[in-house]
PDB file of all heavy atoms in Angstrom:
ATOM      1  N   ALA B  12      18.461 149.499 221.191  1.00  0.00           N
ATOM      2  CA  ALA B  12      18.850 150.888 220.925  1.00  0.00           C
ATOM      3  C   ALA B  12      20.014 150.960 219.950  1.00  0.00           C
ATOM      4  O   ALA B  12      20.043 151.818 219.051  1.00  0.00           O
ATOM      5  CB  ALA B  12      19.212 151.581 222.235  1.00  0.00           C
ATOM      6  N   ASP B  13      20.993 150.049 220.102  1.00  0.00           N
ATOM      7  CA  ASP B  13      22.136 150.076 219.198  1.00  0.00           C
ATOM      8  C   ASP B  13      21.732 149.733 217.774  1.00  0.00           C
ATOM      9  O   ASP B  13      22.189 150.363 216.808  1.00  0.00           O
ATOM     10  CB  ASP B  13      23.213 149.078 219.683  1.00  0.00           C
ATOM     11  CG  ASP B  13      23.817 149.506 221.001  1.00  0.00           C
ATOM     12  OD1 ASP B  13      23.759 150.722 221.319  1.00  0.00           O
ATOM     13  OD2 ASP B  13      24.340 148.625 221.725  1.00  0.00           O
ATOM     14  N   SER B  14      20.852 148.769 217.624  1.00  0.00           N
ATOM     15  CA  SER B  14      20.410 148.366 216.265  1.00  0.00           C
ATOM     16  C   SER B  14      19.600 149.473 215.616  1.00  0.00           C
ATOM     17  O   SER B  14      19.741 149.740 214.409  1.00  0.00           O
ATOM     18  CB  SER B  14      19.592 147.086 216.310  1.00  0.00           C
ATOM     19  OG  SER B  14      18.406 147.261 217.067  1.00  0.00           O
ATOM     20  N   VAL B  15      18.773 150.173 216.412  1.00  0.00           N
ATOM     21  CA  VAL B  15      17.990 151.275 215.859  1.00  0.00           C
ATOM     22  C   VAL B  15      18.919 152.420 215.423  1.00  0.00           C
ATOM     23  O   VAL B  15      18.708 153.028 214.368  1.00  0.00           O
ATOM     24  CB  VAL B  15      16.953 151.768 216.886  1.00  0.00           C
ATOM     25  CG1 VAL B  15      16.325 153.089 216.442  1.00  0.00           C
ATOM     26  CG2 VAL B  15      15.890 150.726 217.100  1.00  0.00           C
ATOM     27  N   ALA B  16      19.936 152.715 216.222  1.00  0.00           N
ATOM     28  CA  ALA B  16      20.876 153.763 215.854  1.00  0.00           C
ATOM     29  C   ALA B  16      21.588 153.417 214.553  1.00  0.00           C
ATOM     30  O   ALA B  16      21.775 154.289 213.691  1.00  0.00           O
ATOM     31  CB  ALA B  16      21.895 153.957 216.980  1.00  0.00           C
ATOM     32  N   LEU B  17      21.983 152.154 214.387  1.00  0.00           N
ATOM     33  CA  LEU B  17      22.618 151.734 213.146  1.00  0.00           C
ATOM     34  C   LEU B  17      21.676 151.835 211.957  1.00  0.00           C
ATOM     35  O   LEU B  17      22.076 152.318 210.876  1.00  0.00           O
ATOM     36  CB  LEU B  17      23.134 150.304 213.289  1.00  0.00           C
ATOM     37  CG  LEU B  17      23.819 149.700 212.047  1.00  0.00           C
ATOM     38  CD1 LEU B  17      25.030 150.524 211.651  1.00  0.00           C
ATOM     39  CD2 LEU B  17      24.197 148.248 212.314  1.00  0.00           C
ATOM     40  N   LEU B  18      20.445 151.415 212.163  1.00  0.00           N
ATOM     41  CA  LEU B  18      19.463 151.497 211.066  1.00  0.00           C
ATOM     42  C   LEU B  18      19.185 152.948 210.687  1.00  0.00           C
ATOM     43  O   LEU B  18      19.001 153.265 209.512  1.00  0.00           O
ATOM     44  CB  LEU B  18      18.157 150.803 211.471  1.00  0.00           C
ATOM     45  CG  LEU B  18      18.222 149.288 211.588  1.00  0.00           C
ATOM     46  CD1 LEU B  18      16.901 148.746 212.134  1.00  0.00           C
ATOM     47  CD2 LEU B  18      18.537 148.649 210.248  1.00  0.00           C
ATOM     48  N   ARG B  19      19.150 153.840 211.690  1.00  0.00           N
ATOM     49  CA  ARG B  19      18.931 155.256 211.394  1.00  0.00           C
ATOM     50  C   ARG B  19      20.088 155.841 210.596  1.00  0.00           C
ATOM     51  O   ARG B  19      19.889 156.645 209.676  1.00  0.00           O
ATOM     52  CB  ARG B  19      18.726 156.026 212.687  1.00  0.00           C
ATOM     53  CG  ARG B  19      17.350 155.830 213.297  1.00  0.00           C
ATOM     54  CD  ARG B  19      17.242 156.534 214.624  1.00  0.00           C
ATOM     55  NE  ARG B  19      15.939 156.293 215.237  1.00  0.00           N
ATOM     56  CZ  ARG B  19      15.651 156.533 216.514  1.00  0.00           C
ATOM     57  NH1 ARG B  19      16.577 157.030 217.299  1.00  0.00           N
ATOM     58  NH2 ARG B  19      14.445 156.272 216.973  1.00  0.00           N
ATOM     59  N   ALA B  20      21.309 155.454 210.939  1.00  0.00           N
ATOM     60  CA  ALA B  20      22.467 155.952 210.201  1.00  0.00           C
ATOM     61  C   ALA B  20      22.449 155.450 208.761  1.00  0.00           C
ATOM     62  O   ALA B  20      22.737 156.202 207.820  1.00  0.00           O
ATOM     63  CB  ALA B  20      23.744 155.506 210.908  1.00  0.00           C
ATOM     64  N   ARG B  21      22.101 154.181 208.574  1.00  0.00           N
ATOM     65  CA  ARG B  21      22.057 153.624 207.217  1.00  0.00           C
ATOM     66  C   ARG B  21      20.942 154.250 206.397  1.00  0.00           C
ATOM     67  O   ARG B  21      21.124 154.573 205.210  1.00  0.00           O
ATOM     68  CB  ARG B  21      21.882 152.111 207.275  1.00  0.00           C
ATOM     69  CG  ARG B  21      23.035 151.366 207.903  1.00  0.00           C
ATOM     70  CD  ARG B  21      22.794 149.873 207.861  1.00  0.00           C
ATOM     71  NE  ARG B  21      22.685 149.407 206.452  1.00  0.00           N
ATOM     72  CZ  ARG B  21      22.231 148.221 206.102  1.00  0.00           C
ATOM     73  NH1 ARG B  21      21.809 147.376 207.035  1.00  0.00           N
ATOM     74  NH2 ARG B  21      22.153 147.873 204.831  1.00  0.00           N
ATOM     75  N   ALA B  22      19.779 154.487 207.014  1.00  0.00           N
ATOM     76  CA  ALA B  22      18.690 155.126 206.289  1.00  0.00           C
ATOM     77  C   ALA B  22      19.034 156.571 205.939  1.00  0.00           C
ATOM     78  O   ALA B  22      18.675 157.037 204.849  1.00  0.00           O
ATOM     79  CB  ALA B  22      17.397 155.080 207.146  1.00  0.00           C
ATOM     80  N   GLY B  23      19.696 157.259 206.868  1.00  0.00           N
ATOM     81  CA  GLY B  23      20.117 158.638 206.569  1.00  0.00           C
ATOM     82  C   GLY B  23      21.098 158.700 205.416  1.00  0.00           C
ATOM     83  O   GLY B  23      21.027 159.585 204.562  1.00  0.00           O
ATOM     84  N   ALA B  24      22.057 157.775 205.394  1.00  0.00           N
ATOM     85  CA  ALA B  24      23.028 157.741 204.298  1.00  0.00           C
ATOM     86  C   ALA B  24      22.358 157.469 202.968  1.00  0.00           C
ATOM     87  O   ALA B  24      22.677 158.051 201.930  1.00  0.00           O
ATOM     88  CB  ALA B  24      24.100 156.720 204.582  1.00  0.00           C
ATOM     89  N   ALA B  25      21.382 156.519 202.964  1.00  0.00           N
ATOM     90  CA  ALA B  25      20.666 156.215 201.730  1.00  0.00           C
ATOM     91  C   ALA B  25      19.829 157.409 201.272  1.00  0.00           C
ATOM     92  O   ALA B  25      19.730 157.673 200.064  1.00  0.00           O
ATOM     93  CB  ALA B  25      19.777 155.003 201.953  1.00  0.00           C
ATOM     94  N   ARG B  26      19.227 158.124 202.223  1.00  0.00           N
ATOM     95  CA  ARG B  26      18.446 159.293 201.857  1.00  0.00           C
ATOM     96  C   ARG B  26      19.327 160.359 201.221  1.00  0.00           C
ATOM     97  O   ARG B  26      18.962 160.967 200.201  1.00  0.00           O
ATOM     98  CB  ARG B  26      17.735 159.859 203.094  1.00  0.00           C
ATOM     99  CG  ARG B  26      17.001 161.179 202.848  1.00  0.00           C
ATOM    100  CD  ARG B  26      16.447 161.726 204.155  1.00  0.00           C
ATOM    101  NE  ARG B  26      17.495 161.925 205.144  1.00  0.00           N
ATOM    102  CZ  ARG B  26      18.296 162.980 205.173  1.00  0.00           C
ATOM    103  NH1 ARG B  26      18.188 163.936 204.280  1.00  0.00           N
ATOM    104  NH2 ARG B  26      19.201 163.091 206.135  1.00  0.00           N
ATOM    105  N   ARG B  27      20.492 160.610 201.804  1.00  0.00           N
ATOM    106  CA  ARG B  27      21.390 161.620 201.249  1.00  0.00           C
ATOM    107  C   ARG B  27      21.872 161.232 199.858  1.00  0.00           C
ATOM    108  O   ARG B  27      21.957 162.073 198.961  1.00  0.00           O
ATOM    109  CB  ARG B  27      22.554 161.831 202.183  1.00  0.00           C
ATOM    110  CG  ARG B  27      22.196 162.512 203.507  1.00  0.00           C
ATOM    111  CD  ARG B  27      23.420 162.923 204.300  1.00  0.00           C
ATOM    112  NE  ARG B  27      24.198 161.781 204.724  1.00  0.00           N
ATOM    113  CZ  ARG B  27      24.002 161.144 205.861  1.00  0.00           C
ATOM    114  NH1 ARG B  27      23.040 161.530 206.685  1.00  0.00           N
ATOM    115  NH2 ARG B  27      24.758 160.102 206.215  1.00  0.00           N
ATOM    116  N   ALA B  28      22.183 159.929 199.658  1.00  0.00           N
ATOM    117  CA  ALA B  28      22.623 159.485 198.341  1.00  0.00           C
ATOM    118  C   ALA B  28      21.537 159.641 197.295  1.00  0.00           C
ATOM    119  O   ALA B  28      21.788 160.091 196.170  1.00  0.00           O
ATOM    120  CB  ALA B  28      23.091 158.032 198.414  1.00  0.00           C
ATOM    121  N   ALA B  29      20.278 159.293 197.649  1.00  0.00           N
ATOM    122  CA  ALA B  29      19.190 159.420 196.689  1.00  0.00           C
ATOM    123  C   ALA B  29      18.906 160.863 196.351  1.00  0.00           C
ATOM    124  O   ALA B  29      18.693 161.217 195.168  1.00  0.00           O
ATOM    125  CB  ALA B  29      17.927 158.753 197.271  1.00  0.00           C
ATOM    126  N   CYS B  30      18.907 161.743 197.358  1.00  0.00           N
ATOM    127  CA  CYS B  30      18.652 163.153 197.097  1.00  0.00           C
ATOM    128  C   CYS B  30      19.784 163.788 196.287  1.00  0.00           C
ATOM    129  O   CYS B  30      19.534 164.585 195.380  1.00  0.00           O
ATOM    130  CB  CYS B  30      18.479 163.903 198.422  1.00  0.00           C
ATOM    131  SG  CYS B  30      16.980 163.444 199.328  1.00  0.00           S
TER     132      CYS B  30
END
Side-chain angles (χ1 to χ4, degrees):
D13 293 337
S14 63
V15 169
L17 178 60
L18 290 175
R19 284 176 182 165
R21 295 183 61 194
R26 174 186 57 81
R27 290 190 295 271
C30 292

